[in-house]
Amino acid sequence: MIPDPAVLQSCLLFRGKSAEELELLLHNIIYTVTAYQKNKLIFAEGDTADRIGIILSGRVEVQKTHPTGSSVTIAHLSVGQTIGEAVLFRKENLVPATVTATGPCQIMFISKHELLRLFSADTDILTRFIENLSERLVLVNRKIEILSAGPLRRRMIYFLLEQAVQQASGQIRLPFSRKEWAEHLNTARPSLSREMGYLRDMGWIEFKGSHITLLNREAMHEYIRTDQPTAGQDK
């Protein structure tokens, strides 16, 4: 299968490339495209990281498993985003987390050797690769900020306020399902639902499906600034 240049243009690695440039590039590199069904393993934790993956369709989930057997969802990635690049050039280049398909998806793989050849032939791609790593680092830092924001209610409010800024609106749409949001916050879905009901009863939010309206951002910001969590809230 030959990837659609329009899809590759959504990937930061090839940003700024015309369809014609991408078609020429595809003719001059070695790559593979693999299709996966829902829940199929793409990368297993501990695999050798010897290639980069570009999501051509569908979505994938990145999870870290603890020695206890529990797992935490690190990220959900969709079309145009990359997987495997963060550890590709480490001395111990082992995949640090498990990557699975959340539904039918197609992934384009480029080997480390081919990627180095691309870098040599086109420094713009090298620059975009570094930018991509920087963007990923920012996302990891945001994840740490959310998880370190304290009890669940505080983490939820922090996340909702952050989404309002990113979407430039008080009417936001969750970028994933409620189940995935609970995993993102490292909590159980019933606890998430209970806290959503609390925020609604406080008059701070309204919600329907994946759409949430922030009704009182000032009160939410004040809650984040306070030192003491409300009595009885979940941790």
Side-chain angles (χ1 to χ4, degrees):
M1 172 190 169
I2 299 176
D4 183 352
V7 173
L8 292 182
Q9 285 174 325
S10 68
C11 176
L12 180 58
L13 200 61
F14 303 116
R15 185 170 295 171
K17 298 292 184 186
S18 67
E20 292 75 17
E21 288 174 319
L22 287 172
E23 287 175 359
L24 180 61
L25 181 147
L26 292 172
H27 278 95
N28 289 314
I29 65 169
I30 299 171
Y31 64 89
T32 59
V33 176
T34 304
Y36 297 90
Q37 295 303 311
K38 184 177 181 179
N39 297 327
K40 287 297 183 180
L41 185 67
I42 300 171
F43 285 124
E45 188 172 341
D47 283 351
T48 299
D50 57 1
R51 55 185 175 157
I52 186 175
I54 301 171
I55 304 171
L56 301 178
S57 65
R59 299 177 72 224
V60 306
E61 180 179 64
V62 184
Q63 286 193 323
K64 180 68 177 178
T65 303
H66 296 297
T68 59
S70 63
S71 60
V72 176
T73 299
I74 299 172
H76 291 91
L77 306 175
S78 56
V79 175
Q81 293 185 285
T82 55
I83 50 178
E85 76 280 9
V87 293
L88 191 60
F89 294 102
R90 283 191 63 200
K91 183 177 181 180
E92 295 181 3
N93 59 328
L94 300 179
V95 176
T98 298
V99 183
T100 56
T102 59
C105 67
Q106 291 183 324
I107 313 291
M108 174 184 179
F109 293 105
I110 304 174
S111 71
K112 179 179 178 178
H113 174 75
E114 282 298 296
L115 198 58
L116 287 170
R117 209 162 61 80
L118 274 177
F119 293 163
S120 298
D122 192 328
T123 55
D124 281 344
I125 293 179
L126 174 58
T127 300
R128 298 290 178 264
F129 181 83
I130 295 171
E131 288 178 3
N132 195 29
L133 288 178
S134 298
E135 289 290 336
R136 190 59 56 84
L137 180 60
V138 168
L139 289 176
V140 170
N141 285 337
R142 284 176 180 166
K143 176 78 172 183
I144 292 171
E145 288 175 355
I146 290 171
L147 291 179
S148 63
L152 175 57
R153 190 174 300 156
R154 192 181 299 267
R155 300 200 304 270
M156 289 175 62
I157 292 173
Y158 185 98
F159 176 85
L160 292 171
L161 291 173
E162 182 188 56
Q163 286 296 308
V165 172
Q166 290 182 13
Q167 299 182 31
S169 174
Q171 296 180 322
I172 65 173
R173 185 179 187 279
L174 289 176
F176 30 56
S177 69
R178 291 277 190 92
K179 176 179 179 293
E180 291 169 337
W181 188 21
E183 292 172 349
H184 183 75
L185 294 174
N186 194 24
T187 191
R189 184 169 176 178
S191 297
L192 178 71
S193 297
R194 183 165 59 250
E195 290 300 319
M196 287 285 286
Y198 173 86
L199 296 179
R200 178 195 57 207
D201 294 344
M202 289 290 290
W204 292 359
I205 67 171
E206 286 182 347
F207 56 87
K208 184 176 182 180
S210 62
H211 296 273
I212 301 175
T213 301
L214 308 192
L215 301 174
N216 194 339
R217 276 192 270 183
E218 183 178 348
M220 294 169 75
H221 278 292
E222 181 60 29
Y223 182 86
I224 290 294
R225 287 192 293 268
T226 188
D227 292 330
Q228 298 298 323
T230 301
Q233 71 174 295
D234 284 45
K235 296 183 179 180

